[in-house]
Amino acid sequence: MKKYIFLFLTLVSMGFSFAQNPFITHKFTADPSARVFNGKLYVYSSHDEDDATYFDMLDWACFSTTNMVDWNDHGAIFSLKDIKWANKWAWAPDAVERNGKYYFYFPVERKKIGVAVANHPEGPFKDALGKPLINSLEEPFAGPEPIDPGILIDDDKQAYLYFGCRDARVVKLKENMIEREGSLHEIVILDKQGKRLLWKERAKSAANLQVNHGGDGVYGEGPWVFKRKDLYYYVYSNGWAKDATMVYATSQNPLGPFVYQGKVMEPVSSWTSHGSVVQYKGKWYVFYHTQDISNSGFKRSICVDELFFNEKGEIIPVKPTRTGVIKLK
Ligand code: FUB
């Protein structure tokens, strides 16, 4: 034991710090979207209820850090109670900053996406439109389940809203970030031979379209787009099977088509995979969730690991740090 205490003190004195995975354990959280605002790293997440038996989430959470070890909990930054046009299912959110304001994108009822606005990253957020920005009940091309908004603001300042479950969609946003510009587009994902990877093709051999399948480049949900060295990385979940995980495809164009490249990380305990990739203080990180603590897919916990690229710009698949202490240099 003495040997380990000595090693711990030596590493601390050398400037190593330690974090825990999951890094939030006092409540259940999922679908982490990590963003850097004013030198701080913020994570916007879903909030799984303590007694959850389904995704009946009521509000959204936000955490921040400056050292990847100590996290501030900003509480419920937005809630179903703040929305007049939705009653249930406060699912995976995202937030971005533009012109000094913070925009929070949230899916509800598996059918609609809204946007809220605040003067500070941790809110208070206010519903910006009083109605959905995306509503598949009025616009079938949004797909039967337009969930999981993910925002990219490109170098030329054009903003894009990616979303969808099984049906991957994107729409441009105006500079005010609360209005759409132009029509919805489908996100096309190809394999390296140029063949389209389609959920329907995968499902042909399966009993029905709802089958829990995954493991390759077919789009499931949870889109997250970032740019690195002129290349757009489209990160997403490839389904809901045991071997499903976060994977990625790349393109020179934010509207695609994207070419499937492989895994972002190895599968974790949760059968839903949803996360984000962010650069902070010179390092890249992947945020994701597991069900390591609860052993329930409806009571998840957010985690983080460092992410590395090879010299070709390919992501080296992360081996997730399971519950326990992780070392951050
Ligand atoms: O958290 C509810 C849903 O589960 C999300 O919207 C999906 O991405 C999946 O993680």
Side-chain angles (χ1 to χ4, degrees):
M1 185 57 158
K2 269 188 188 157
K3 195 169 75 184
Y4 292 112
I5 293 172
F6 176 74
L7 178 65
F8 177 83
L9 292 174
T10 311
L11 289 173
V12 169
S13 68
M14 285 167 65
F16 286 88
S17 49
F18 294 85
Q20 197 80 25
N21 255 342
F23 64 92
I24 300 296
T25 52
H26 60 284
K27 56 184 168 193
F28 292 114
T29 52
D31 310 320
S33 288
R35 297 288 181 189
V36 178
F37 302 133
N38 314 316
K40 253 191 202 178
L41 187 135
Y42 289 83
V43 176
Y44 297 85
S45 80
S46 308
H47 172 205
D48 289 346
E49 293 294 313
D50 285 354
D51 56 355
T53 53
Y54 183 63
F55 300 114
D56 286 315
M57 293 102 89
L58 305 172
D59 54 25
W60 290 273
C62 174
F63 308 91
S64 66
T65 187
T66 52
N67 62 8
M68 302 299 290
V69 176
D70 304 301
W71 291 88
N72 294 318
D73 181 350
H74 298 290
I77 51 147
F78 197 59
S79 139
L80 290 177
K81 289 187 196 138
D82 302 318
I83 311 163
K84 291 210 171 74
W85 45 270
N87 295 309
K88 59 182 179 181
W89 301 340
W91 287 9
D94 191 15
V96 288
E97 184 272 338
R98 184 138 202 192
N99 299 329
K101 291 215 182 284
Y102 298 85
Y103 296 90
F104 181 76
Y105 297 83
F106 56 91
V108 281
E109 301 187 339
R110 283 176 105 154
K111 297 285 173 212
K112 304 164 192 170
I113 293 174
V115 54
V117 63
N119 292 322
H120 304 281
E122 63 276 15
F125 284 93
K126 198 170 176 293
D127 184 8
L129 294 170
K131 61 179 183 179
L133 181 61
I134 306 286
N135 183 353
S136 67
L137 300 173
E138 291 175 0
E139 193 175 17
F141 187 66
E145 211 175 330
I147 58 171
D148 298 354
I151 304 290
L152 169 75
I153 302 182
D154 205 352
D155 298 339
D156 64 3
K157 303 296 175 218
Q158 177 62 59
Y160 300 85
L161 163 60
Y162 300 85
F163 63 92
C165 177
R166 292 191 181 86
D167 298 283
R169 300 286 185 263
V170 62
V171 65
K172 289 182 182 175
L173 296 177
K174 292 187 179 169
E175 194 183 339
N176 66 16
M177 298 301 283
I178 62 170
E179 280 180 282
R180 292 158 40 163
E181 185 175 296
S183 48
L184 300 184
H185 301 268
E186 184 171 10
I187 290 289
V188 171
I189 302 174
L190 307 169
D191 68 13
K192 287 187 179 161
Q193 285 70 48
K195 184 171 175 281
R196 272 196 77 174
L197 296 172
L198 285 169
W199 186 262
K200 281 180 188 153
E201 292 297 317
R202 290 295 307 277
K204 263 184 195 162
S205 58
N208 61 59
L209 282 179
Q210 298 299 320
V211 69
N212 286 342
H213 211 94
D216 61 14
V218 175
Y219 176 82
E221 58 186 353
W224 178 266
V225 181
F226 67 95
K227 192 176 185 185
R228 182 180 180 269
K229 297 188 182 169
D230 290 334
L231 196 60
Y232 297 88
Y233 291 71
Y234 184 78
V235 173
Y236 56 101
S237 148
N238 64 358
W240 302 269
K242 269 202 164 157
D243 61 348
T245 189
M246 278 163 63
V247 297
Y248 75 107
T250 56
S251 177
Q252 306 283 347
N253 188 324
L255 295 173
F258 290 87
V259 177
Y260 175 61
Q261 301 295 335
K263 287 180 190 169
V264 171
M265 62 189 298
E266 298 300 332
V268 293
S269 54
S270 172
W271 52 268
T272 54
S273 313
H274 188 133
S276 55
V277 171
V278 71
Q279 191 178 25
Y280 184 54
K281 295 190 175 174
K283 291 181 179 201
W284 287 90
Y285 295 95
V286 58
F287 285 79
Y288 56 96
H289 62 234
T290 69
Q291 60 187 61
D292 286 357
I293 291 183
S294 69
N295 202 24
S296 157
F298 305 117
K299 291 189 264 188
R300 301 158 292 175
S301 304
I302 52 178
C303 299
V304 60
D305 272 302
E306 213 173 322
L307 178 81
F308 297 93
F309 297 82
N310 67 17
E311 62 291 343
K312 288 197 251 167
E314 295 161 341
I315 291 176
I316 300 170
V318 168
K319 289 195 176 53
T321 313
R322 305 304 294 268
T323 306
V325 174
I326 56 168
K327 189 178 70 184
L328 303 164
K329 214 172 163 189

